[in-house]
Amino acid sequence: MGTPPMLFSESPEDPFALGHGASAVLDDHGTVVGWSAEAQELLGYPPKEVIGRTWQGFLIGARDLPVAQAAVEDAMSKGGWFGILPILHRDGRRVEMGFRARAVTRDGDSQEWLLVGAPAAEVIAWQRDRALLDGLYHRSPIGLVVHDPERRVLRINRAIAKASGVPADLPVGHPAREFLVDEDAGPAEERVRHVLETGEPLIFVEQSARTRHDPRRERFVSVSAFRMEDPSGRILGVAETIEDVTERHRAQRRLTLLNEASARIGTSLDVTQTARELAEVAVQGLADYCSVDLLEPVTLGDEPSPGVVEPLVRVALQPPERRVPFQEGEMVLLLPESSQARCLTERRPILEPSLALRPEWYAMDRRRIEMASGLGVHSLIVVPLMARGLVLGIVSLWRARHSEPFEDGDAAVAQEFASRAAVCIDNARRFTQQQSAALTLQRSLLPSAASDLPAVEVACRYLPASGEPGIGGDWFDVIPLSGARVALVVGDVVGHGIHAAASMGRLRAAVRTLASLDLEPDEVVARLDDLVSLLAAEREANADGDRSTDEGVLGATCLYAVYDPVSRNCSMARAGHPAPVLSTPDGQVTVLDLPSGPPLGLGGLPFETYEIEVPEGSLLTLYTDGLLQARNGDIDAAVERLCDCLSHPAEPLDRTCHSVVGAMLPTNHLPTDDVALLVARTQVLPPENVASWQLPLEATAAGRARELTSAKLDEWELTELAFTTELVASELVTNTYRYAAGPVTLRLIRTQSLICEVSDTSHTSPHLRRALSTDEGGRGLFLVAQLTERWGTRYTHADKCRRRMKTDR
């Protein structure tokens, strides 16, 4: 009898395969007309005991008859049946059998039933394997690809077809490279080749798998592969299981991006640098292009006004691209209906999956839109930069050409790292604001280099510290004194920041006040020491519960020098400050060994004045310790380099300062501590510009002073000043005659101004007083004060210059 080809399998694993399963033939009355040897072996009945009998009589027990009858009815209605029935063995035991039944029509109208059976356990196992194969190819969410030994695709399952959009039968007979983009096809083919040649399985290897059918759609898959072999060891091909892990990969990438953002954004307290770090992180894992636009006040360190969203300045663009509508440093113009303007106004992220629907997406004019269209930009996210409730600017992220459009998850990530970046930008802005205010304060307290001084020619440099400490308390000053002298001052307040700058200003003001008293250098430094001690005590008294005073004055160092261009004498004292360097015209450079003294603020310790005669044209260099510590902290080597730079005293002072800064400070970097540098070239007044006379202390001294003064002014061709100067000299000498003792010295000094000095040996200090109308005297100093630019008293070791006057030539 014949067998329909669709009913039975020739596979040896199939329990219903011909030659493997037990078979029987029944006529349309249920009588057995055919019985195979396999049936006899399985059930124990020889053909002679079975043929001619109805199946109900001996094959089915009474209790199983209803089930069997239902199966017959089902088979008759459908023309076939499959199922499991209990059959009676010849020895009387029940045997679970799996059956397939099919109606077969013979010549004429006769109908027979072909039954093929096997033990139920084998049938169930085979059906389970068939169901597994069917599930792998039709219902499994994990992709399956089978390759032949030539690496051509034999079969793919529905999961692959659905994910790729490629029909299941299309890849059959073709290599995988014909369906993957070139960048991804190479690794895929190499993976199959490796497994095919080595037999080593691959487990969970992740790679990109974009298809030519939709190259812009990002796909990442996890692939496991093994080589297929038959029982004889013949290689049949390679099977791959492929799981779509795109979402997991994106989640990992987003997490990595956030971690990188935390580590790489905010490495400096510079607004522009922070914005560039934000843009660099964004283009490495989220976008093809990124720009950061900040409100103009933010770029200057100022706080933006609430509700004001323009103007914007482009501070960062990555990667650099000339076709982007606005470049770094340009003002950004926006249409009110643009995504960027809406983001600023609504203070929320704006996601534009398709910019083709929004032609006004960015630029104000058609030319800029045409420029941007060449980038192939198709998707946009705009995120506001907000900190402390204030909008600082916006971040614009674009994807272009083959990149997949942005989705909600990308917008969430962009908002997260933009929020972190906004805090860093705001911190940098606030630091810039504080540093700018402190630098402004410090520079306003520092003098400009004095010019047209008769005593010295001066050049100076001040370099604020770099990095977070910011500015410090270093300062310098050049103070004109009486008698054409000049005071040179360099100091350094302990600490950094605005507190140190403010304290420096207080000390500088104190030094100027003390200098105006014409005190000796050691006395000036001693009084500064008292002042620093008072300031430290004041800080401690105000420090209870107020941490803002922790950076107050704790101490300072200072060097105070006075140079006299008439005597060429330089007297100086220092308080814990680096010693000055003297460079004589012959090229000899000496670090002056004056007593160091304790730093200011220790209190109770003495200071000493050091005096030296300085040749004309010498360089006197004063500096703070930041100059010596700028490179590697080797003070001795730094002093040697400084002396080398100062070994050419005839060079212009600006060039000398430039050489010192270049040699002592790191190249292209600001120092880590403030640096103050003051270089002064000494000058000497010609003898013909100084006239000095010693007068007897008698009543005729005032008249003699008028005669000498008039004659000298005629010689100096200053006759127009004769009357005023005679009167001043006469009053000063008369005052000395009345109230002082010892010889009287009259001295005239001609510089840019005319200076008149009268010295005596008294230790009393003259002062102005209001004379009554009936008083015969008491008006001399008043006349001096009215006729001169300024007047005062200076004490020396031997005497005092009781009066001095200064008037324009």
Side-chain angles (χ1 to χ4, degrees):
M1 56 188 163
T3 302
M6 295 182 63
L7 180 62
F8 300 105
S9 169
E10 297 295 336
S11 171
E13 292 82 5
D14 188 347
F16 297 125
L18 292 178
H20 179 73
S23 61
V25 180
L26 306 179
D27 63 13
D28 55 359
H29 299 294
T31 302
V32 179
V33 296
W35 191 259
S36 67
E38 289 79 6
Q40 177 181 350
E41 181 181 352
L42 184 61
L43 297 176
Y45 296 101
K48 63 180 180 178
E49 294 183 11
V50 176
I51 294 176
R53 299 176 63 181
T54 61
W55 60 273
Q56 296 95 331
F58 68 99
L59 292 178
I60 303 295
R63 66 174 181 173
D64 300 319
L65 190 59
V67 177
Q69 190 63 44
V72 171
E73 293 175 0
D74 187 44
M76 293 178 65
S77 64
K78 297 179 180 179
W81 179 83
F82 168 78
I84 295 176
L85 288 174
I87 303 299
L88 290 176
H89 194 275
R90 189 170 183 270
D91 60 11
R93 56 188 173 87
R94 297 169 76 245
V95 178
E96 295 286 336
M97 295 278 293
F99 286 100
R100 278 185 178 179
R102 179 76 178 263
V104 180
T105 302
R106 297 297 185 183
D107 295 337
D109 297 330
S110 63
Q111 189 178 47
E112 293 180 346
W113 291 88
L114 176 62
L115 282 74
V116 179
E122 295 183 17
V123 173
I124 291 173
W126 177 77
Q127 285 297 111
R128 187 183 298 117
D129 292 344
R130 288 294 303 269
L132 175 60
L133 290 174
D134 180 71
L136 286 175
Y137 280 103
H138 296 92
R139 285 177 292 278
S140 173
I142 298 177
L144 178 63
V145 180
V146 179
H147 303 267
D148 66 12
E150 283 72 38
R151 302 199 296 269
R152 294 181 300 234
V153 175
L154 285 176
R155 190 174 181 182
I156 65 173
N157 66 351
R158 288 183 180 178
I160 293 291
K162 182 179 179 181
S164 64
V166 178
D169 58 342
L170 189 60
V172 175
H174 299 276
R177 66 172 178 271
E178 295 184 8
F179 301 93
L180 297 175
V181 298
D182 293 339
E183 306 93 278
D184 299 340
E189 282 203 326
E190 177 60 25
R191 181 180 62 231
V192 175
R193 185 199 63 77
H194 177 79
V195 175
L196 195 63
E197 293 179 356
T198 66
E200 297 177 0
L202 296 181
I203 301 176
F204 302 135
V205 177
E206 292 191 8
Q207 73 162 66
S208 175
R210 291 169 297 159
T211 64
R212 296 178 185 270
H213 174 72
D214 188 6
R216 201 169 70 181
R217 182 181 176 187
E218 182 182 57
R219 287 187 182 86
F220 284 88
V221 295
S222 175
V223 181
S224 297
F226 61 93
R227 188 169 70 182
M228 300 183 299
E229 301 176 359
D230 64 12
S232 66
R234 182 167 58 95
I235 297 175
L236 303 178
V238 173
E240 294 180 303
T241 59
I242 299 176
E243 182 182 3
D244 190 337
V245 294
T246 302
E247 290 305 318
R248 185 177 72 191
H249 182 83
R250 289 176 178 172
Q252 291 176 343
R253 184 174 61 194
R254 290 164 180 164
L255 181 60
T256 301
L257 180 65
L258 292 177
N259 290 336
E260 288 188 3
S262 299
R264 295 178 54 188
I265 298 175
T267 60
S268 70
L269 288 171
D270 180 84
V271 172
T272 300
Q273 179 62 27
T274 303
R276 286 175 178 165
E277 291 169 350
L278 166 59
E280 289 171 357
V281 170
V283 298
Q284 290 184 2
L286 187 61
D288 294 318
Y289 298 96
C290 176
S291 66
V292 181
D293 306 324
L294 299 180
L295 296 175
E296 188 175 28
V298 176
T299 64
L300 302 176
D302 299 329
E303 186 165 297
S305 302
V308 178
V309 296
E310 290 188 276
L312 287 171
V313 179
R314 171 70 42 86
V315 293
L317 174 64
Q318 287 293 328
E321 172 57 65
R322 60 179 180 81
R323 290 174 293 178
V324 172
F326 300 97
Q327 298 296 304
E328 289 186 1
E330 293 183 359
M331 304 297 293
V332 179
L333 306 175
L334 304 175
L335 283 174
E337 63 271 22
S338 67
S339 303
Q340 284 78 4
R342 289 194 296 121
C343 175
L344 286 170
T345 303
E346 300 173 14
R347 303 171 66 156
R348 66 177 182 87
I350 302 294
L351 170 62
E352 298 288 358
S354 177
L355 294 177
L357 304 177
R358 295 186 62 84
E360 74 284 359
W361 63 275
Y362 198 81
M364 286 289 291
D365 55 67
R366 176 60 54 185
R367 180 182 64 85
R368 295 185 187 272
I369 294 177
E370 291 175 352
M371 288 169 56
S373 63
L375 297 172
V377 171
H378 58 76
S379 187
L380 168 68
I381 294 176
V382 188
V383 185
L385 289 168
M386 296 184 61
R388 298 182 300 110
L390 294 174
V391 177
L392 307 179
I394 55 174
V395 181
S396 298
L397 306 168
W398 299 288
R399 282 185 178 171
R401 302 196 184 281
H402 299 306
S403 297
E404 203 167 12
F406 284 120
E407 55 187 31
D408 292 338
D410 298 319
V413 173
Q415 185 176 17
E416 177 67 23
F417 79 72
S419 298
R420 299 184 185 186
V423 174
C424 296
I425 290 175
D426 189 55
N427 289 340
R429 178 198 65 77
R430 297 170 72 181
F431 172 78
T432 301
Q433 184 182 45
Q434 182 181 23
Q435 188 182 50
S436 177
L439 284 173
T440 300
L441 170 63
Q442 188 175 41
R443 286 196 167 95
S444 68
L445 297 175
L446 291 174
S448 58
S451 59
D452 298 329
L453 292 175
V456 291
E457 177 190 356
V458 176
C460 56
R461 291 290 188 276
Y462 173 77
L463 288 88
S466 63
E468 292 187 7
I471 64 168
D474 292 15
W475 92 92
F476 64 89
D477 209 345
V478 180
I479 307 171
L481 301 178
S482 63
R485 298 168 308 135
V486 65
L488 305 175
V489 190
V490 170
D492 185 359
V493 175
V494 173
H496 292 86
I498 197 168
H499 293 285
S503 300
M504 174 270 289
R506 299 173 74 175
L507 290 183
R508 177 173 175 261
V511 170
R512 279 191 162 262
T513 301
L514 295 173
S516 68
L517 299 177
D518 271 320
L519 301 175
E520 291 296 314
D522 59 339
E523 189 170 356
V524 170
V525 174
R527 296 195 182 188
L528 277 180
D529 179 57
D530 293 338
L531 175 62
V532 172
S533 298
L534 290 174
L535 292 176
E538 177 184 311
R539 181 196 65 82
E540 292 177 1
N542 295 331
D544 295 339
D546 183 6
R547 297 185 63 85
S548 65
T549 61
D550 287 350
E551 297 183 20
V553 174
L554 294 177
T557 64
C558 180
L559 172 62
Y560 184 84
V562 176
Y563 173 70
D564 187 344
V566 177
S567 64
R568 294 184 296 140
N569 179 73
C570 182
S571 59
M572 58 190 75
R574 62 172 175 151
H577 201 83
V581 177
L582 178 65
S583 308
T584 55
D586 58 3
Q588 184 177 355
V589 182
T590 306
V591 179
L592 298 180
D593 187 22
L594 67 157
S596 62
L600 300 175
L602 295 182
L605 297 175
F607 299 93
E608 300 180 49
T609 295
Y610 174 87
E611 295 188 0
I612 186 173
E613 185 173 308
V614 180
E616 182 180 5
S618 299
L619 294 186
L620 190 61
T621 303
L622 288 70
Y623 51 89
T624 57
D625 58 359
L627 186 70
L628 302 181
Q629 300 172 356
R631 283 190 180 268
N632 53 17
D634 189 341
I635 302 299
D636 294 336
V639 171
E640 290 183 9
R641 286 197 305 272
L642 177 61
C643 293
D644 290 341
C645 295
L646 298 173
S647 60
H648 306 285
E651 287 189 351
L653 292 186
D654 279 337
R655 182 183 299 174
T656 300
C657 287
H658 181 77
S659 299
V660 170
V661 170
M664 305 297 293
L665 302 184
T667 306
N668 299 325
H669 289 85
L670 289 175
T672 56
D673 190 12
D674 285 13
V675 172
L677 173 67
L678 179 63
V679 182
R681 177 178 287 121
T682 59
Q683 301 176 143
V684 175
L685 288 181
E688 60 269 19
N689 285 1
V690 180
S692 180
W693 305 275
Q694 190 165 353
L695 304 176
L697 191 63
E698 55 188 31
T700 60
R704 181 60 179 164
R706 286 194 296 271
E707 292 175 2
L708 294 171
T709 299
S710 177
K712 179 55 67 175
L713 293 181
D714 287 341
E715 178 185 338
W716 285 345
E717 297 181 353
L718 297 175
T719 307
E720 68 276 8
L721 297 178
F723 175 78
T724 302
T725 308
E726 286 179 30
L727 180 58
V728 169
S730 175
E731 291 295 334
L732 291 177
V733 172
T734 300
N735 190 278
T736 300
Y737 172 72
R738 289 182 176 180
Y739 303 108
V744 178
T745 302
L746 170 64
R747 186 168 72 163
L748 297 179
I749 302 174
R750 182 178 67 171
T751 61
Q752 291 87 348
S753 299
L754 178 62
I755 301 171
C756 176
E757 296 181 345
V758 176
S759 303
D760 60 54
T761 59
S762 172
H763 297 290
T764 60
S765 178
H767 59 276
L768 286 171
R769 69 181 182 87
R770 184 180 297 277
L772 299 177
S773 60
T774 56
D775 291 343
E776 294 182 1
R779 299 177 178 83
L781 290 183
F782 177 77
L783 291 175
V784 171
Q786 296 301 312
L787 295 175
T788 62
E789 180 180 328
R790 64 188 181 93
W791 74 278
T793 303
R794 178 175 80 250
Y795 290 87
T796 66
H797 294 294
D799 55 17
K800 77 169 184 296
C801 178
R802 292 187 61 195
R803 310 288 184 266
R804 74 178 187 273
M805 60 80 64
K806 180 180 179 182
T807 184
D808 293 337
R809 292 179 53 185

